[in-house]
Amino acid sequence: MNCREARELISPWIDGMLTETEEKAFSAHMERCGLCQAEAEELRRVLAVLKESAAKPIIPPPGFADSVMKRLREEEKVVPYPRRVLGVPLKTAAMAASLFFLLGMNGLLVRNYLAGKYSHLVPGQVSDQNGTGELEAPVTLVEPEVTDAEDPGPAETMTELPEVAGPQDSPAPESTVPEPVEIVQVVAEPEPGPPAPVEELEPVPGPEPVLPEGSIDYPVIVASSSEYRTQDPYLALSQLSIPEKEVFSPEPRTLHNIKLRLKVQRVGHASNLLADAAGRLGAVKIMEDVLFRDDARLVKVFRYDVPRENVNAFLNEVYTTGKLLSEVKSRGDVTEEYNKKLEFYNELLAVSQTASGTEAEMINQAITNVLKELEQLNRAAREMQTITIMMEQ
Amino acid sequence: MDAVRQLIQRAQNKDLAAFEQLVLLYQGKVYALAQRLSGDPEDAQDLAQEAFIRAYRSLHSFRGDADFGTWLHRITVNLWLNVRRKPGMGVTVSLDETLQTLDGEMKREVADTGGDPETILMSHEFSEVVQKALEQLPAEQKAVLILREIEGHSYEEIAATMQCSLGTVRSRLSRAREALRKYVVNNAKNLGFKD
């Protein structure tokens, strides 16, 4: 056995995983080879340090289990979607309301909806989508998915969710869903059955949502979640395929809400800010999904159902959040500062070799301080690399 | 063990309270592994949470004969590897490069065994060098080292977690350790630990 062969066996030898034959040959070599002995010893020491450095117990942050369960419960909490609204079969009502909504609005969003596209983005400042680490501009893209009529249909979704429990008032058979022509009639001639509240239910065509100033300057083209999924080899590997499941809010949704899809990176920061805003503005999270980006960060996609009257406010919050998170120094600045500090640290280290007494103490103190600063900078650089908010098509 | 099995069975029948018990039982293990892999508390939280969520969703595919902890580890490791495996990801440092030092070019080959081992081992900086070396390793090597050295898993358990053969575990571990050793030795020299 030569040195090269022997060194390949050092690792399994440490673990007692050599076969009898290997063991004999290995021992024979080691007895006469000081270099291999030294290398084996060195490896053992390095591994000992590795074990030692990991001896500090790591405990989950408080509330970790709660956060897992909260998310799971949210996802499991599927409430029956109301099939009839004040006597009108849901689908009819939804479509009617949507149509009303569409007719009532004469703006950009509607035109795009009718044209069947969402390309109402103005190309401008290009954000870094390639995971090169540059901080992305705060991005706000609005995808005004217009209400339920555009959905595959809540009733259909229901049929895919067998665990649905709870009362269902007067379920309407799927087959009775009228054709669109009839919907117009429904709008024109409201059912005589339900009295007064009908008016409250009907969406009042309010002012067209106005995008926060500047938001359309940032283009976003992000792959859809389904694309991400198919790129995810792990899912295929482990067959942990997760069907996208919409979680309906326990409150009956108003029919003229607008759904926004947000994509949030640096989950811990941004999504909390968004959750706060959503809470204040009555926006309901209807979907949450985790994706992966090429820069190895987890990314969450949220879908919010936002009351129409609060859409502007919500968009402003999103925009502000994105801006807030981007108002840090550019990554280049931090890197430069880091390198300077690192240089200083190395100088201090060099000087400390020859220093003694009070001088040595001062230098050591300075070294400690610089190390702290370096750590902070390092952290800042990492955070910046990952903060992004965008709305997704 | 029977209690755990019962909890799993109940959780498989969508009993969230039972699954919560499992989360409480295993959160320490899963979170610690997540933090060691990701090296960052916030990422660890995301990773560990995602691991539990995926575990719940695929609980039906969990067979009772396997160890639940190993199964959770497998999900965690695979999730993390999947993120790291993406093209263009990760910093890979060639450990075979020659090293430029003040004394000229230095070969990263045979280790210098000089110096006082105790002093070196006691040093906080040295421990940092080892940690840094671990961070620099390719994802698979890092994962196998963490599972073996820190989590203390057997070759069999690692094979189950990483879904590979014992032979692969042995060779992967061997390469990972050698890469770690080389990196540490060379960087320790740079820091002036050895001369």
Side-chain angles (χ1 to χ4, degrees):
Chain A
M1 182 174 283
N2 60 32
C3 286
R4 198 178 148 174
E5 289 164 336
R7 283 175 195 186
E8 281 175 12
L9 295 182
I10 291 177
S11 167
W13 170 72
I14 287 176
D15 295 325
M17 295 295 284
L18 291 183
T19 65
E20 210 172 305
T21 325
E22 283 172 337
E23 174 85 46
K24 266 184 195 163
F26 180 77
S27 302
H29 177 85
M30 290 299 266
E31 270 171 32
R32 57 188 164 77
C33 181
L35 278 177
C36 284
Q37 277 176 30
E39 195 164 308
E41 183 55 30
E42 199 166 58
L43 178 60
R44 288 170 78 118
R45 284 190 184 144
V46 169
L47 294 180
V49 173
L50 179 62
K51 277 195 187 110
E52 183 64 32
S53 64
K56 196 172 64 178
I58 297 176
I59 49 167
F64 172 76
D66 284 346
S67 69
V68 173
M69 295 315 295
K70 194 170 164 237
R71 201 179 134 194
L72 267 182
R73 288 204 171 94
E74 268 177 24
E75 291 179 15
E76 292 294 301
K77 191 168 60 185
V78 181
V79 303
Y81 197 89
R83 301 258 175 137
R84 290 180 84 84
V85 177
L86 297 175
V88 182
L90 176 78
K91 222 167 182 179
T92 311
M95 292 172 93
S98 302
L99 200 63
F100 199 99
F101 176 64
L102 291 177
L103 293 172
M105 285 179 58
N106 192 22
L108 172 77
L109 309 181
V110 177
R111 282 202 303 277
N112 281 324
Y113 171 72
L114 293 175
K117 58 182 180 183
Y118 302 96
S119 52
H120 52 289
L121 302 166
V122 182
Q125 185 183 331
V126 177
S127 63
D128 164 39
Q129 297 291 333
N130 301 323
T132 52
E134 290 304 313
L135 181 65
E136 296 179 28
V139 183
T140 53
L141 154 65
V142 188
E143 178 214 1
E145 243 177 54
V146 183
T147 69
D148 303 285
E150 197 197 343
D151 276 351
E156 283 162 27
T157 315
M158 287 294 298
T159 59
E160 289 167 16
L161 300 168
E163 304 107 35
V164 170
Q168 296 182 6
D169 21 358
S170 43
E174 302 283 331
S175 55
T176 62
V177 173
E179 291 300 306
V181 185
E182 290 171 277
I183 296 164
V184 182
Q185 289 170 347
V186 173
V187 175
E189 301 168 8
E191 279 203 6
V198 168
E199 274 188 359
E200 285 173 31
L201 239 184
E202 279 182 356
V204 181
E208 176 188 333
V210 179
L211 303 186
E213 203 181 332
S215 65
I216 55 170
D217 289 343
Y218 301 106
V220 186
I221 303 297
V222 185
S224 73
S225 60
S226 59
E227 278 178 54
Y228 270 94
R229 277 226 185 79
T230 53
Q231 284 171 11
D232 186 346
Y234 169 64
L235 288 183
L237 185 78
S238 60
Q239 297 177 328
L240 290 180
S241 170
I242 305 158
E244 187 171 309
K245 190 159 68 173
E246 291 214 349
V247 182
F248 294 123
S249 105
E251 289 85 26
R253 294 185 296 172
T254 46
L255 297 171
H256 47 285
N257 283 1
I258 288 182
K259 287 179 209 139
L260 297 173
R261 185 184 283 259
L262 313 178
K263 195 164 159 196
V264 178
Q265 225 173 328
R266 199 68 205 177
V267 176
H269 272 279
S271 59
N272 287 347
L273 293 173
L274 286 175
D276 284 351
R280 273 184 275 117
L281 297 168
V284 176
K285 189 167 72 183
I286 51 174
M287 195 270 286
E288 180 174 328
D289 199 2
V290 176
L291 314 172
F292 301 101
R293 269 180 69 104
D294 286 350
D295 52 4
R297 295 289 172 169
L298 297 176
V299 175
K300 280 192 179 171
V301 171
F302 301 102
R303 261 180 118 202
Y304 277 102
D305 197 344
V306 190
R308 187 159 138 59
E309 63 273 20
N310 287 341
V311 166
N312 282 343
F314 189 70
L315 286 177
N316 268 315
E317 292 276 359
V318 171
Y319 183 65
T320 314
T321 306
K323 211 160 162 245
L324 193 93
L325 295 175
S326 74
E327 276 172 359
V328 275
K329 281 181 279 183
S330 78
R331 184 167 164 71
D333 290 343
V334 173
T335 310
E336 199 182 313
E337 206 177 332
Y338 184 87
N339 287 337
K340 275 187 193 159
K341 281 268 186 308
L342 193 65
E343 214 171 279
F344 182 49
Y345 169 74
N346 284 330
E347 280 168 20
L348 284 174
L349 269 188
V351 179
S352 72
Q353 303 288 326
T354 50
S356 61
T358 332
E359 196 191 7
E361 271 175 34
M362 281 168 64
I363 292 172
N364 280 336
Q365 186 55 45
I367 288 177
T368 316
N369 291 342
V370 173
L371 275 177
K372 270 186 202 153
E373 286 169 10
L374 279 173
E375 199 183 316
Q376 281 167 3
L377 284 170
N378 194 18
R379 195 162 178 88
R382 290 180 61 181
E383 301 246 318
M384 287 200 315
Q385 209 173 358
T386 56
I387 296 168
T388 315
I389 292 187
M390 57 187 92
M391 293 197 189
E392 188 191 38
Q393 182 171 336
Chain B
M1 198 59 213
D2 275 348
V4 170
R5 207 159 282 170
Q6 275 177 13
L7 286 173
I8 294 169
Q9 274 175 8
R10 280 169 52 200
Q12 279 173 333
N13 292 319
K14 304 278 171 199
D15 181 342
L16 277 176
F19 189 70
E20 185 166 15
Q21 291 301 310
L22 289 169
V23 174
L24 287 169
L25 274 173
Y26 287 95
Q27 61 171 347
K29 278 183 88 169
V30 171
Y31 182 81
L33 177 63
Q35 180 157 333
R36 277 167 186 140
L37 288 169
S38 68
D40 175 274
E42 272 189 60
D43 285 349
Q45 205 170 336
D46 287 341
L47 178 60
Q49 188 185 74
E50 192 56 23
F52 275 115
I53 300 285
R54 294 202 179 199
Y56 181 75
R57 284 168 175 169
S58 54
L59 207 53
H60 57 88
S61 70
F62 175 72
R63 296 186 312 277
D65 51 347
D67 178 71
F68 192 61
T70 306
W71 189 70
L72 286 173
H73 269 187
R74 182 160 87 207
I75 292 176
T76 313
V77 170
N78 280 343
L79 265 171
W80 181 76
L81 280 178
N82 178 49
V83 176
R84 293 291 304 247
R85 266 188 207 126
K86 297 269 183 183
M89 229 345 274
V91 188
T92 311
V93 174
S94 169
L95 298 166
D96 296 325
E97 271 175 350
T98 51
L99 191 70
Q100 209 62 43
T101 69
L102 291 175
D103 306 326
E105 218 171 56
M106 198 178 273
K107 203 87 168 104
R108 294 180 190 250
E109 251 316 308
V110 180
D112 177 354
T113 54
D116 175 3
E118 288 313 308
T119 319
I120 293 166
L121 286 178
M122 295 293 281
S123 143
H124 178 60
E125 281 87 349
F126 188 76
S127 170
E128 279 181 357
V129 171
V130 175
Q131 280 303 316
K132 201 173 164 205
L134 189 66
E135 296 304 321
Q136 300 290 336
L137 293 180
E140 259 100 354
Q141 293 192 356
K142 184 182 171 188
V144 80
L145 272 177
I146 287 175
L147 289 172
R148 175 69 194 156
E149 308 301 340
I150 298 171
E151 300 293 330
H153 285 194
S154 69
Y155 278 41
E156 286 80 3
E157 284 170 322
I158 297 171
T161 300
M162 301 192 79
Q163 289 166 300
C164 60
S165 69
L166 281 179
T168 306
V169 172
R170 186 174 122 154
S171 59
R172 205 176 267 178
L173 194 54
S174 186
R175 277 200 303 275
R177 281 168 166 171
E178 180 56 7
L180 185 81
R181 185 194 65 80
K182 277 186 179 176
Y183 186 95
V184 170
V185 166
N186 285 298
N187 284 276
K189 274 179 192 164
N190 284 349
L191 275 178
F193 283 114
K194 301 189 173 196
D195 37 5

